[in-house]
Amino acid sequence: MTTAVIGVGNIGKGVITGLARGGEKLLIANRTDSKAEALAAELGEGVTAVSIDEAVERADTIILAIWFADQQKFITERGAELAGKLIIDPSNPIGFDDKGQVFRTVDDGVSSGQLNRDSLADGVKFAKAFGTLSADSLASGANKDPKVALFYASDENTAGQGAGNAGAKGEIDSEVERLISVAGFTPVKAGSIDEASLRIEVLGDLHPFGGLNGVDPTEDTAKELLAK
């Protein structure tokens, strides 16, 4: 399995750094090639800067660490090129007003996860992950004791489970949990895309910039919150 991260901004860099330190071999790509090349040089062996086209061609899993609007463009333009691949979406549909205040860029009751999933071509696998911690926490919160929990959501094996309940892991959940663990965090499933995306995006009750009020949850805390 080959993992690629597209986007080396604050979130992308945090994800890349955590995975690289955990030993994951990565392809990284960015609209500005020089930024990906500089980060690959900084992190050393195991991280290879490539073009976006090459990342899409070679990767089995793509973490799409770019702004939501850019994700929608990418998904539309790439279409069936993504068939058979797993797209991991860390996006938060936010913008900033002239006073620096955060606002959502999609309609109330709708999440970026739902919109991205519904825009994908047939045969593309999808999950939400790596967007429930701040860039700072992604960079500095790995491998703490106790470990910080990182929520994720997918539509795999969710029927009859309820948010956060354990069940047989399919290939999507297994790969997402593997990557979260490699990055130094504890994976906790928050449910399906429809039931969980609004909860684990910015301003949701399971997000530090929402109901968690800046606190990065441990696994026990995360499961208590889901049980409520």
Side-chain angles (χ1 to χ4, degrees):
M1 298 287 286
T2 301
T3 303
V5 181
I6 296 178
V8 298
N10 290 338
I11 294 295
K13 186 174 182 179
V15 172
I16 292 164
T17 301
L19 288 172
R21 287 175 178 167
E24 185 77 4
K25 294 188 181 300
L26 295 171
L27 303 176
I28 65 172
N30 193 66
R31 185 165 47 190
T32 305
D33 290 342
S34 59
K35 291 185 178 180
E37 290 164 358
L39 182 57
E42 177 186 330
L43 293 174
E45 187 177 356
V47 180
T48 304
V50 297
S51 68
I52 293 175
D53 285 344
E54 186 173 354
V56 171
E57 180 182 352
R58 292 175 56 185
D60 301 294
T61 297
I62 300 172
I63 301 172
L64 208 52
I66 54 180
W67 287 95
F68 169 62
D70 294 326
Q71 287 184 337
Q72 287 271 284
K73 182 178 179 183
F74 176 92
I75 287 168
T76 300
E77 290 179 348
R78 296 287 172 171
E81 244 186 300
L82 304 176
K85 300 180 186 295
L86 169 59
I87 301 299
I88 297 179
D89 167 17
S91 69
N92 286 289
I94 59 170
F96 297 89
D97 64 20
D98 55 5
K99 296 180 181 179
Q101 298 298 306
V102 174
F103 66 92
R104 284 173 50 82
T105 60
V106 297
D107 293 339
D108 289 344
V110 178
S111 75
S112 62
Q114 291 169 319
L115 293 172
N116 278 336
R117 178 201 59 193
D118 294 347
S119 297
L120 289 167
D122 291 343
V124 185
K125 294 168 280 191
F126 182 76
K128 286 282 295 184
F130 291 108
T132 59
L133 293 175
S134 67
D136 287 344
S137 292
L138 281 171
S140 63
N143 297 306
K144 286 188 172 180
D145 185 17
K147 283 190 176 180
V148 173
L150 203 159
F151 292 107
Y152 77 96
S154 86
D155 288 334
E156 185 174 65
N157 296 341
T158 53
Q161 286 188 34
N165 288 353
K169 298 290 190 299
E171 65 172 320
I172 293 174
D173 289 1
S174 294
E175 181 62 5
V176 172
E177 293 200 358
R178 184 188 73 81
L179 290 170
I180 291 172
S181 298
V182 167
F185 300 95
T186 295
V188 177
K189 187 168 186 178
S192 69
I193 300 299
D194 283 338
E195 70 179 317
S197 276
L198 284 168
R199 301 188 71 192
I200 64 176
E201 291 176 5
V202 161
L203 306 181
D205 63 320
L206 300 177
H207 197 284
F209 299 152
L212 296 184
N213 294 316
V215 175
D216 294 333
T218 63
E219 180 178 9
D220 288 345
T221 301
K223 290 182 175 179
E224 287 174 9
L225 291 167
L226 287 171
K228 294 178 182 179

